Amino acid sequence: MTESKSMILGCAGKSLTRDEINFYRSECPWGFILFARNIGEAEQIRDLVAAMRDCVERPDAPVFIDQEGGRVQRLRPPLAPNYPAGGALGALWRNDHDAGNRAAWLMARLHAFDLLRYGITADCLPVLDVPIEGASDVIGARAYGKEPRAVIELGRAAAEGLMSGGVLPVMKHIPGHGRAFADTHFELPTVDASMSELQRHDFAPFRELNHLPMAMTAHVVYSAIDPKNPATTSGKVIDEIIRGEIGFDGLLMSDDTSMKALSGDFPTKAAAILAAGCDLVLHCNGVFEEMVGIASRTTGLEGTSLQRAQRALTYIKNRDRADEAEIRAEFATYFDAVA
């Protein structure tokens, strides 16, 4: 078995091309990620996921997806119900904390049922960003609320629901995307808040949930920490803030390298991400030439990063015995998940 490389990659369509198969076999990404373009019908998804794992000869290779609810949800009816956005859970929480937390757990537990039936084992959830008034809508209703306490409680419930169902959670976007006044899919935002304000508001959910197995970085510049580099490529942010101040020692993956917030060509981006201290480089759009560029500067997963990766996978082995019909019925008392 070939050593895994420090990257998570997508693919172009609903099945692997011959070039993708050969590329995955030779480069051995640690994991894969699916987007809406990869989603057809149930058996096709299972076949695609199995083919990805077959290429790297690792039946436990994690396959990720963004299945939050609301507008960020890759599996749609009839493959999975439409679920409410995080903001709807937050509205429920503000009226009744216990009800909100229970609904967040139930919804995440349902995500786990939905994902595992297609072989998908990791969900890029919970969103732990705490937006401020006027910030870019790229987070918006995806956030649980505008106060750290709501985000902490609902994020914890969501992560525990996923893990109870045998799915790996990925908290995002560390150390906090809520103040960004630009959409990182298109440009690089700079946050000018003071360190004390960042600690109180933005870092708080990640610090409270620093025991979770995985996190995804923010393509955001924090001028109080590193005025030149976004968190994803900032050794100072990763070492002093994410690993130090926040205390996160889990597996750290970049946000998508195909987003416009990061500058440079793809080999340069990959090298900068790993040099800054990220464990994994994420590339999502499936463009073959870009993936080749990423792989050209991506190293083998080894040392502390390998230990973090191995430890992360241990979080998804103890699946509970919850009854899906009962969980759906209870969730429906809070929200109607539209089948």
Side-chain angles (χ1 to χ4, degrees):
M1 189 181 300
T2 309
E3 176 187 48
S4 296
K5 291 186 76 170
S6 302
M7 56 187 181
I8 297 168
L9 301 178
C11 67
K14 293 181 175 64
S15 60
L16 298 182
T17 66
R18 175 51 54 187
D19 283 345
E20 287 170 340
I21 290 169
N22 291 335
F23 175 68
Y24 293 154
R25 284 177 175 168
S26 65
E27 297 295 340
C28 271
W30 181 72
F32 300 92
I33 190 164
L34 302 182
F35 273 71
R37 67 178 181 276
N38 308 124
I39 305 299
E41 47 83 34
E43 205 54 41
Q44 169 268 320
I45 301 169
R46 293 188 195 101
D47 288 347
L48 175 58
V49 167
M52 288 170 155
R53 291 187 171 120
D54 182 64
C55 288
V56 295
E57 298 180 342
R58 282 173 40 238
D60 66 342
V63 177
F64 295 77
I65 199 165
D66 292 291
Q67 190 77 355
E68 296 175 11
R71 62 184 160 92
V72 180
Q73 181 177 326
R74 311 304 181 202
L75 295 177
R76 296 283 182 182
L79 298 167
N82 286 318
Y83 292 101
L89 293 168
L92 179 61
W93 182 89
R94 284 189 292 278
N95 288 325
D96 182 334
H97 290 5
D98 290 342
N101 292 336
R102 180 62 179 169
W105 186 93
L106 291 166
M107 190 168 105
R109 185 64 187 83
L110 291 173
H111 286 326
F113 281 119
D114 295 335
L115 299 181
L116 282 186
R117 63 173 50 100
Y118 306 113
I120 302 166
T121 52
D123 191 0
C124 298
L125 186 76
V127 178
L128 298 186
D129 305 308
V130 191
I132 61 169
E133 290 298 330
S136 166
D137 193 48
V138 67
I139 301 299
R142 297 167 64 191
Y144 296 118
K146 293 180 178 175
E147 63 273 29
R149 179 51 50 191
V151 176
I152 290 165
E153 291 193 15
L154 294 167
R156 178 183 289 117
E160 289 176 353
L162 288 174
M163 291 188 290
S164 293
V167 169
L168 187 68
V170 182
M171 56 181 178
K172 57 189 184 187
H173 305 80
I174 199 168
H177 204 302
R179 291 179 189 274
F181 279 77
D183 183 342
T184 48
H185 292 87
F186 305 108
E187 57 184 308
L188 177 64
T190 296
V191 167
D192 292 323
S194 68
M195 178 64 103
S196 61
E197 186 61 16
L198 291 169
Q199 289 169 325
R200 183 193 69 79
H201 183 90
D202 303 64
F203 302 164
F206 298 99
R207 190 166 53 242
E208 287 287 326
L209 301 180
N210 64 12
H211 60 283
L212 291 179
M214 288 194 70
M216 178 188 292
T217 62
H219 293 334
V220 175
V221 171
Y222 305 90
S223 60
I225 307 161
D226 183 344
K228 294 183 178 179
N229 301 295
T232 304
T233 56
S234 171
K236 189 169 187 182
V237 172
I238 291 173
D239 183 50
E240 295 182 11
I241 304 302
I242 295 175
R243 299 301 189 192
E245 170 79 20
I246 288 171
F248 175 69
D249 191 38
L251 191 64
L252 185 65
M253 58 196 274
S254 74
D255 202 348
D256 182 13
T257 49
S258 57
M259 293 161 67
K260 304 295 187 247
L262 297 184
S263 58
D265 59 20
F266 285 88
T268 301
K269 291 179 188 180
I273 288 165
L274 294 175
C278 281
D279 300 304
L280 294 164
V281 180
L282 174 66
H283 184 272
C284 295
N285 69 12
V287 175
F288 189 76
E289 294 75 18
E290 294 180 8
M291 292 195 292
V292 170
I294 292 289
S296 72
R297 297 292 295 278
T298 303
T299 54
L301 192 59
E302 59 188 13
T304 305
S305 293
L306 177 59
Q307 291 170 9
R308 290 176 181 138
Q310 291 170 335
R311 188 169 72 235
L313 294 181
T314 68
Y315 281 67
I316 60 173
K317 290 179 179 174
N318 297 319
R319 188 177 179 185
D320 67 20
R321 296 178 178 272
D323 180 270
E324 182 175 358
E326 290 178 3
I327 297 287
R328 290 203 184 278
E330 185 181 353
F331 183 69
T333 66
Y334 298 105
F335 294 97
D336 288 328
V338 182

